Amino acid sequence: MKQVKEQFCYDYARPAVTVDCVIFGFDANELKVLLTKRAIDPYLGKMAFCGGFIGETETAEQCARRKLYEEAGLSDIFLEQLYTFSDLDRDPRFRVISVAYYALVQSTNYQPVAGVGIESVQWFSLAEAKDLAFDHNRILELALQRLKGKIRYEPIGFELLPPRFTLPDLHKLYETILERPIDRGNFRKKILSLDVLVDHSATQQNRRAREAKIYSFDQQKYEALKVKGCYFEI
């Protein structure tokens, strides 16, 4: 076994590999991001994403889930790989390559708790998410671009809302993320024409005629539409 290891042990640099997790939430008609305050160097006291070095016995996603739990007490979050960041000077200590992940969650369902190497962890508005540690401003910028692009052709926005919501709630969410006005009438017509919402207005007690109806998203109907070649697009 030793001879085999020596045979395939090449004289190349071995950069460290980390993960960074961009977790988006939506609360009070505002898009937010989960940030930690670092309690260790480098960037002591700076805000940053949950993340850390990948262990030799775990995958990048396993590391991402471990760090989310260790640093913020979060678990059972659907993660999607965003991008690999490999600029030469992204870490002041030594060469570090980072695999970034992002997720959309209902922020009111997750109460983060500061953990290992973290002074505090909380939700911040995008306006507050400035001057982050490492290259996390760039990571956030790319995550926002991905979110804006994907929300136009996949119904991922529903993951940011409570299980039951109104069309005005959904309309506001899309305007907030896309950062542009969307005609309310056209938006309503498009969403309802897809037939992926379940109307719960019959269960609303003492509902007034002009009061907004309550809906939920039907994932099974959407998956059936995709099979037929019909896709969600706003």
Side-chain angles (χ1 to χ4, degrees):
M1 179 64 71
K2 183 177 180 181
Q3 290 180 342
V4 173
K5 286 184 177 179
E6 291 177 350
Q7 181 181 357
F8 294 101
C9 185
Y10 303 110
D11 189 20
Y12 291 118
R14 296 171 178 80
V17 185
T18 64
V19 297
D20 288 300
C21 303
V22 186
I23 310 299
F24 289 114
F26 189 71
D27 184 34
N29 291 330
E30 190 172 30
L31 187 63
K32 296 187 176 182
V33 64
L34 188 69
L35 296 174
T36 66
K37 187 174 183 180
R38 291 177 59 81
I40 58 176
D41 282 320
Y43 298 105
L44 175 67
K46 286 277 191 177
M47 306 307 297
F49 297 124
C50 291
F53 291 93
I54 300 175
E56 290 194 7
T57 60
E58 63 184 352
T59 66
E61 183 173 333
Q62 287 171 339
C63 177
R65 295 190 181 283
R66 173 174 62 83
K67 297 306 294 184
L68 280 172
Y69 184 75
E70 288 179 352
E71 295 186 357
L74 303 186
S75 59
D76 299 323
I77 291 178
F78 176 79
L79 292 172
E80 183 172 328
Q81 195 169 127
L82 173 66
Y83 193 74
T84 299
F85 294 84
S86 60
D87 286 356
L88 301 182
D89 58 351
R90 60 177 310 276
D91 192 302
R93 294 167 292 189
F94 41 77
R95 181 76 193 281
V96 177
I97 296 170
S98 182
V99 181
Y101 287 83
Y102 82 110
L104 311 178
V105 303
Q106 297 167 34
S107 57
T108 54
N109 289 350
Y110 293 90
Q111 299 300 322
V113 179
V116 180
I118 301 301
E119 182 177 325
S120 63
V121 55
Q122 65 185 88
W123 295 99
F124 288 87
S125 68
L126 295 182
E128 296 171 320
K130 306 295 183 183
D131 192 26
L132 305 181
F134 303 102
D135 57 350
H136 289 191
N137 284 101
R138 184 184 171 212
I139 295 176
L140 177 58
E141 181 180 355
L142 189 64
L144 284 168
Q145 291 176 5
R146 176 72 61 84
L147 176 59
K148 289 179 181 180
K150 196 166 185 178
I151 200 171
R152 295 185 63 252
Y153 63 86
E154 281 193 34
I156 60 173
F158 295 102
E159 298 176 38
L160 292 166
L161 292 173
R164 296 193 177 190
F165 51 84
T166 67
L167 283 182
D169 292 335
L170 187 61
H171 178 258
K172 180 61 178 178
L173 170 68
Y174 272 77
E175 285 195 326
T176 300
I177 292 176
L178 294 175
E179 296 184 297
R180 61 176 173 83
I182 301 174
D183 182 81
R184 187 182 296 271
N186 289 338
F187 180 84
R188 175 186 177 86
K189 183 178 179 180
K190 176 65 176 181
I191 291 293
L192 294 179
S193 69
L194 294 169
D195 194 30
V196 293
L197 299 185
V198 179
D199 186 348
H200 298 283
S201 58
T203 65
Q204 292 177 254
Q205 295 183 354
N206 304 317
R207 179 178 173 272
R208 298 186 298 274
R210 298 180 63 84
E211 185 177 351
K213 292 182 178 182
I214 300 294
Y215 293 93
S216 63
F217 176 63
D218 192 322
Q219 183 69 40
Q220 290 185 332
K221 278 190 176 182
Y222 173 66
E223 294 299 332
L225 281 177
K226 285 204 300 184
V227 171
K228 295 178 181 179
C230 179
Y231 292 92
F232 186 93
E233 185 176 357
I234 297 298

